[in-house]
Each structure stands twice: as structure tokens, then as C-alpha cells.
Amino acid sequence: MPAKLQPRRLWRDVTLFDGHDTLPEPMAVVVTGESIERVIPMRQLDRADAEACELFGQGGVLTPGLVDCHTHLVFGGSRAEEFESRLEGVSYEAIARQGGGILSTVRATRTASEEALFDMARPRLEALVRDGITTVEIKSGYGLSIADELKMLRVARRLGEELPVRVVTTLLGAHALPPEFKDDSDAYIDLVCREMIPAAAEQGLADAVDVFCEKIAFSVAQCERVFEAAEAHGLPIKAHAEQLSNLGGSAMAARHGALSADHIEYLDEAGVAALREAGSVAVLLPGAFHTLRETRLPPIAALREAGVPMAIATDANPGSSPLFMPTLMLNFACTLFRLTPREALAGMTANGARALGLHGQSLGRIVEGAPADLCLWDVETPAELAYAVQPGRLRQRIYRGEPSHG
Ligand code: NIG
Ligand code: FE
């Protein structure tokens, strides 16, 4: 349909956070079809303009639709018991070494049918959508066999087809060593590289490839092999790295042009420099930091000084971050990591989109030509979104130009 026949929708008198900054004066935004057509100060909105549009919202704070660039929403089972053990003092690492943790979710995910996994993931995603998410990344990583990893990715794709939210999928085959490969992690990495990545690529099920580079998971050399296989299939890469120790996984990922390095509590100066040089995003996960009661902070000041873009995500998963509330992460990013509210919001909009490689199409920003994914909030200033933890302030969520709460 030619653009001029599409409805023109107007939001007026809004305080506008454009994905990077709050604009200094009241703004008007016109949406045509699925894209943002105009972003102008109210004083430039003339009557003819306003009359040609349908008024969809007035007042409040308008932000880009929130982007959650790191989640593990598809999984079976629960880890409430592990939560209790951790409260009694058993560490996340110790639980993993005893075959619990990620592997306990693997057992529950393998036994669940595709339909059951979809039904379990749906309310989790709906919770994110109700809190303003319009784009979400969903990882596999609890299947750890070709069939089960592909099953998880199909569930993720279907979530994006059935719910009003953009879903980006990531193959995380190298998340943990499955029991069948005990004592032969290189053989499992062979399987990931030679069969799993090719199958996911061929079936169009993965938009990116991720690894868990850690002592309890895979070495830097093994993760590098996974990245080489991803590159051979034209898939972008990212890494869970420097979460529990400093192995240098982030720097290696950056050398391979990673979209992002995620967690990074133990990232050192050389790692920060590598991210800067590669233009990779630092994805901060304050939910996992909080849940695991970590004390080592990511190197925020160094990242800021180096100009490395910082994103914030929920890391929603059954173990290290059973937290399905993106706006809580804005608050945690400020209170736990001392980001400014502006940085936190940019982390869940423009920089979240960058961590998914979607910034080229201006996703996560309110600029002319960007996709019309927006949130209208009942608050006075953008900072209030990070300051108070208060569900119910999302007045309107606009996905691909259509107002909906999802
Ligand atoms: O992002 N760090 C590794 N992977 C996930 C946790 C997965 C789990 O505990 O189930 C994370 O924290
Ligand atoms: Fe994660």
C-alpha cells in the first residue's frame, strides 16, 4: 500500500527519550504504517499536520519499545530447590559441578514436548511484553543435543509468530557439557561445530551463535572453534564471558567481531580495549549479579571511559536470573551497577538493539525511518522508569505501528 493511504497516527506533547537522550522540549511523533515518519518539536506541529493525523496519545514519556537482548526464556522445570541450596551457602559453581544447575534444566527441557515448552515460555514472554518489551532475544542452550537445541529454537521462533513481539534467536549449544560427553568436551564441541551449527543455519533457526566461556563450561580455545564454525555459516556471534573468572573470552570474542560480550564482571583493561576496538557491546546483566549475590562489579567506569556501548538485559532464566521484569533491570542497573538512568534506558533501547545487530535499521531509537516500536509511560520523566519499581505505568505499547499491550 502506498504510504499516503496508510493511517497517520500522532502522539503529541510527549517527553521523548530517543534511545540515547531525553529531548529538551515537548515533542510530537507521527507514525505511518510500521515506521516512524516524523519526530518534531511541538512548536513545529501545525494545525494542518495535526488534523491529518489520528490522535493516539498525549502527554507522558515516550520511549522506544524496550529491547531485551539476552534471555533464556524457553526451558522446562524449575530451580527453586537450587535457590534454597544457594541461600544455605552452596555456590552456583559447586551446584554446576555436582550436575545440577544448567544440567538440571537440561533434563527437564529434554523431557518436555515442543508444545509444552511453548506453553511454559508463553506467559514468561507475556510478562516481558506487559512491561514494555517489543524485541527480545531468546537463546537455546538447555537441549545440548541437535534435536533438543533445534526444538528450543523452533519454540522461540513460534513465540515470535504468535505474540506481538520481535524475537531474535541465538543458538547456545556450547552452554554446558551434556552428560553423554562427560570427560570429552572436545567431542561435544566437534558436534556443535560440525552438526549443530550447520543444522540450525540450514533450517534458518538461529540468528546468532553464543557460547559460555568459563571454567565450568568451555575454554577460550573451544569457544573460538565454535565462533569459526558460526562464521563459516555467516552467523554473528556473542559470548557469556568473564562472569565468574577472567579467562579472556571477551577479548577473543571481540577479535572475532562479536556483537556483544555478556556478564563481564571479571573483564580487565585489555578486555575493555578489545571490546572498544571491535565495536562490540558490553551486555550487563544485573539480574544474575543480584540473584547470585555477586560482589565483583563489571568495570563500568572503564567501559564508560572507553566509550563501549553498554546494554542491559534480564538474562531471564531458571537459574541465575529468574527475573522476568525488564523495568526492574533498569533499577538494578542503577542501584547495583551505578549506571545513570539515562545509561540504563539506552541499555534497554538503542544499545540493546546494537547488541543484536539491529541498530542498522534504527531499532531501539525514535528517529525518522525507524520501526514504530514505542512505549508510552505514565511518568513525568524518563529517569522515573529506573527510579521506582512500579508495574502498571505502561499506558500504551506500540508494536510495528499498532498500539497493543500484547
Ligand atoms: O546467563 N552463564 C550461563 N548461563 C546463564 C545461566 C543459565 C542457568 O543458570 O540456567 C546465564 O547466567
Ligand atoms: Fe545468559
Side-chain angles (χ1 to χ4, degrees):
M1 202 195 311
K4 60 179 183 225
L5 296 180
Q6 291 184 324
R8 296 178 81 218
R9 294 170 169 166
L10 172 69
W11 283 262
R12 55 176 297 158
D13 286 304
V14 296
T15 299
L16 193 144
F17 178 82
D18 68 3
H20 290 293
D21 282 302
T22 302
L23 301 197
E25 58 180 313
M27 300 293 290
V29 173
V30 176
V31 165
T32 310
E34 294 193 12
S35 338
I36 296 171
E37 183 194 318
R38 294 184 76 192
V39 182
I40 49 168
M42 275 307 291
R43 60 188 159 75
Q44 284 174 20
L45 183 77
D46 58 38
R47 228 171 109 181
D49 260 342
E51 279 166 7
C53 297
E54 205 178 329
L55 184 62
F56 263 71
Q58 186 157 12
V61 166
L62 192 70
T63 68
L66 301 184
V67 178
D68 193 348
C69 68
H70 181 142
T71 84
H72 309 247
L73 282 183
V74 176
F75 60 85
S78 154
R79 305 250 290 275
E81 277 179 26
E82 170 188 324
F83 176 63
E84 293 193 45
S85 305
R86 276 193 283 102
L87 292 175
E88 284 161 13
V90 190
S91 75
Y92 183 70
E93 262 179 280
I95 290 167
R97 290 191 197 283
Q98 288 155 17
I102 294 172
L103 288 184
S104 86
T105 301
V106 170
R107 290 187 285 275
T109 304
R110 284 181 173 180
T111 17
S113 69
E114 197 160 324
E115 197 62 31
L117 283 176
F118 179 85
D119 291 344
M120 288 185 272
R122 183 183 189 116
R124 298 175 194 135
L125 181 52
E126 283 169 345
L128 300 192
V129 163
R130 271 196 303 276
D131 205 33
I133 291 296
T134 51
T135 297
V136 64
E137 183 251 22
I138 303 179
K139 300 176 195 295
S140 65
Y142 295 122
L144 310 187
S145 70
I146 295 171
D148 290 304
E149 287 291 301
L150 298 182
K151 173 174 80 172
M152 290 186 71
L153 293 173
R154 283 194 301 272
V155 171
R157 280 272 190 257
R158 189 176 149 210
L159 287 164
E161 284 154 18
E162 298 201 13
L163 275 80
V165 58
R166 208 180 297 270
V167 171
V168 176
T169 60
T170 300
L171 174 67
L172 177 55
H175 193 198
L177 186 62
E180 317 78 87
F181 285 86
K182 200 168 178 299
D183 304 322
D184 199 357
S185 59
D186 282 329
Y188 180 63
I189 293 295
D190 283 344
L191 178 82
V192 170
C193 296
R194 294 184 191 150
E195 295 181 53
M196 201 180 276
I197 290 173
E202 192 184 311
Q203 294 174 39
L205 286 171
D207 300 317
V209 170
D210 195 350
V211 296
F212 186 16
C213 187
E214 194 57 67
K215 280 182 269 180
I216 53 167
F218 298 99
S219 69
V220 175
Q222 289 173 324
C223 293
E224 184 155 32
R225 288 186 52 211
V226 174
F227 290 160
E228 282 160 4
E231 279 156 23
H233 287 85
L235 292 172
I237 55 148
K238 41 182 55 233
H240 286 71
E242 272 70 63
Q243 180 188 9
L244 308 168
S245 61
N246 180 15
L247 299 187
S250 303
M252 182 279 290
R255 282 198 299 279
H256 283 268
L259 289 173
S260 67
D262 303 34
H263 287 288
I264 60 169
E265 278 84 348
Y266 286 80
L267 189 72
D268 59 14
E269 283 291 335
V272 172
L275 294 185
R276 185 198 57 226
E277 268 158 47
S280 306
V281 176
V283 176
L284 308 175
L285 305 171
F289 179 89
H290 160 83
T291 302
L292 300 182
R293 307 181 73 212
E294 296 287 352
T295 50
R296 165 100 180 201
L297 287 166
I300 305 292
L303 290 166
R304 189 183 277 138
E305 198 172 320
V308 174
M310 292 183 278
I312 303 296
T314 61
D315 193 15
N317 77 67
S320 66
S321 190
L323 303 169
F324 302 85
M325 191 178 175
T327 54
L328 177 64
M329 299 307 127
L330 297 176
N331 176 272
F332 277 8
C334 299
T335 53
L336 300 175
F337 291 169
R338 303 224 185 144
L339 261 64
T340 64
R342 187 197 68 73
E343 286 172 326
L345 260 180
M348 264 208 174
T349 53
N351 290 345
R354 177 175 285 269
L356 298 176
L358 298 175
H359 52 294
Q361 53 197 80
S362 297
L363 196 88
R365 297 174 61 202
I366 303 182
V367 290
E368 290 168 11
D373 290 357
L374 304 163
C375 287
L376 186 63
W377 306 89
D378 279 323
V379 291
E380 299 275 318
T381 65
E384 284 176 34
L385 293 171
Y387 151 74
V389 179
Q390 186 181 346
R393 296 174 299 179
L394 179 61
R395 193 196 306 171
Q396 215 177 39
R397 174 185 171 277
I398 299 105
Y399 176 61
R400 295 186 190 269
E402 288 299 325
S404 89
H405 269 288

